[in-house]
Amino acid sequence: MSDVKGNDEQPVGPPVPDWHGCPFPDVAVLKGRWCRVEPLLPEHADELYDELCGPDDDSLWTYLPREKPLDRADFAAHVEARSEATDSVTVVVRDGSGVAAGMLSLMRIDQANGSVEIGWIVLGRRLQRTTAATEAQFLLARHVFSLGYRRYEWKCDALNEPSRKAAARLGFTYEGRFRQALVYKGRSRDTDWFSITDGEWPALESAYLAWLDPANHDGGRQVRTLGEIRAAG
């Protein structure tokens, strides 16, 4: 709790001098060592469909707001709508071989208060549990904080254990559970909230950079986990 005193000695939050909000977090191409992040365009649909909508990919869509697209035309319409959205920013992730194999969105963008959520995450199997996937998350977080945002959010269905574990591994702090927060796909959802703040970001950025260093990867296997690097401070 803040020690700052307001009227009648009531405690208030710390001042944020000269705060003017943040620019909209448009994304150009973000190039990493292990992946490439680029804005989603309608022409990505065909390539992404093969990675995200195969016969064994139903589970990729379980916790997303919609079911897996029925066919290429349905997916193309979905991609076009997301690429044209003006209240969110959706990007494509290409792995080290250049294959577009995942999508993520910056959403719930609150420029006035400096808050943005990373969500609508759907990664094909070639990206899951890879260095490229972690680097994509790092590149987007660094982009957001470089624009002056104060808060970076992650939310997920409370039953989505892989998402909960991913948030913790990536350095998001668990903030609590909003019970019966949503109804989607005809079922109730409790939503778990996580965040990273701008004050936490510098140390976390250093940990990411140390983990992503090629010296930390021996034949494709990590020498130290991100959690170990973060714990070492």
Side-chain angles (χ1 to χ4, degrees):
M1 182 177 291
S2 170
D3 291 327
V4 178
K5 301 296 183 180
N7 294 332
D8 300 322
E9 294 300 302
Q10 293 172 298
V12 297
V16 185
D18 302 319
W19 176 254
H20 299 295
C22 298
F24 193 78
D26 282 316
V27 175
V29 173
L30 304 175
K31 296 180 180 179
R33 182 178 283 115
W34 310 92
C35 76
R36 172 187 169 101
V37 174
E38 58 192 54
L40 178 69
L41 298 172
E43 48 262 41
H44 287 121
D46 240 16
E47 191 175 4
L48 286 169
Y49 181 83
D50 293 333
E51 297 294 322
L52 305 178
C53 299
D56 298 323
D57 290 334
D58 289 13
S59 61
L60 301 183
W61 299 82
T62 300
Y63 297 109
L64 294 176
R66 62 157 294 164
E67 300 290 357
K68 187 182 77 173
L70 298 172
D71 51 33
R72 286 186 184 275
D74 187 18
F75 184 69
H78 171 72
V79 167
E80 183 173 12
R82 290 182 66 182
S83 69
E84 293 178 350
T86 58
D87 60 349
S88 61
V89 177
T90 299
V91 298
V92 170
V93 181
R94 293 189 181 276
D95 69 1
S97 63
V99 176
M103 295 188 296
L104 309 88
S105 292
L106 298 175
M107 49 196 284
R108 286 174 53 92
I109 298 166
D110 184 347
Q111 295 174 248
N113 293 297
S115 177
V116 64
E117 176 185 348
I118 179 71
W120 253 105
I121 300 169
V122 52
L123 303 180
R125 300 184 190 285
R126 74 168 63 231
L127 268 179
Q128 293 175 14
R129 302 177 66 85
T130 65
T131 308
T134 297
E135 185 177 50
Q137 292 284 358
F138 163 69
L139 291 172
L140 283 170
R142 184 171 65 177
H143 170 66
V144 166
F145 284 115
S146 74
L147 296 175
Y149 280 81
R150 306 173 61 239
R151 174 179 171 83
Y152 194 52
E153 298 179 338
W154 179 296
K155 302 185 187 72
C156 64
D157 189 312
L159 297 175
N160 188 351
E161 192 61 23
S163 184
R164 289 173 46 80
K165 288 181 177 179
R169 174 182 173 271
L170 292 169
F172 288 80
T173 296
Y174 177 63
E175 295 182 325
R177 179 166 297 172
F178 281 33
R179 298 178 300 162
Q180 297 187 185
L182 297 173
V183 176
Y184 76 134
K185 296 180 176 178
R187 60 181 185 253
S188 181
R189 166 173 145 164
D190 293 350
T191 298
D192 282 358
W193 286 53
F194 303 79
S195 74
I196 299 169
T197 65
D198 57 349
E200 297 164 341
W201 176 245
L204 188 54
E205 179 182 24
S206 295
Y208 273 113
L209 290 171
W211 186 83
L212 289 165
D213 192 309
N216 190 52
H217 297 271
D218 181 13
R221 302 184 65 179
Q222 60 185 342
V223 178
R224 292 193 297 165
T225 68
L226 182 57
E228 288 170 342
I229 293 172
R230 287 173 48 215

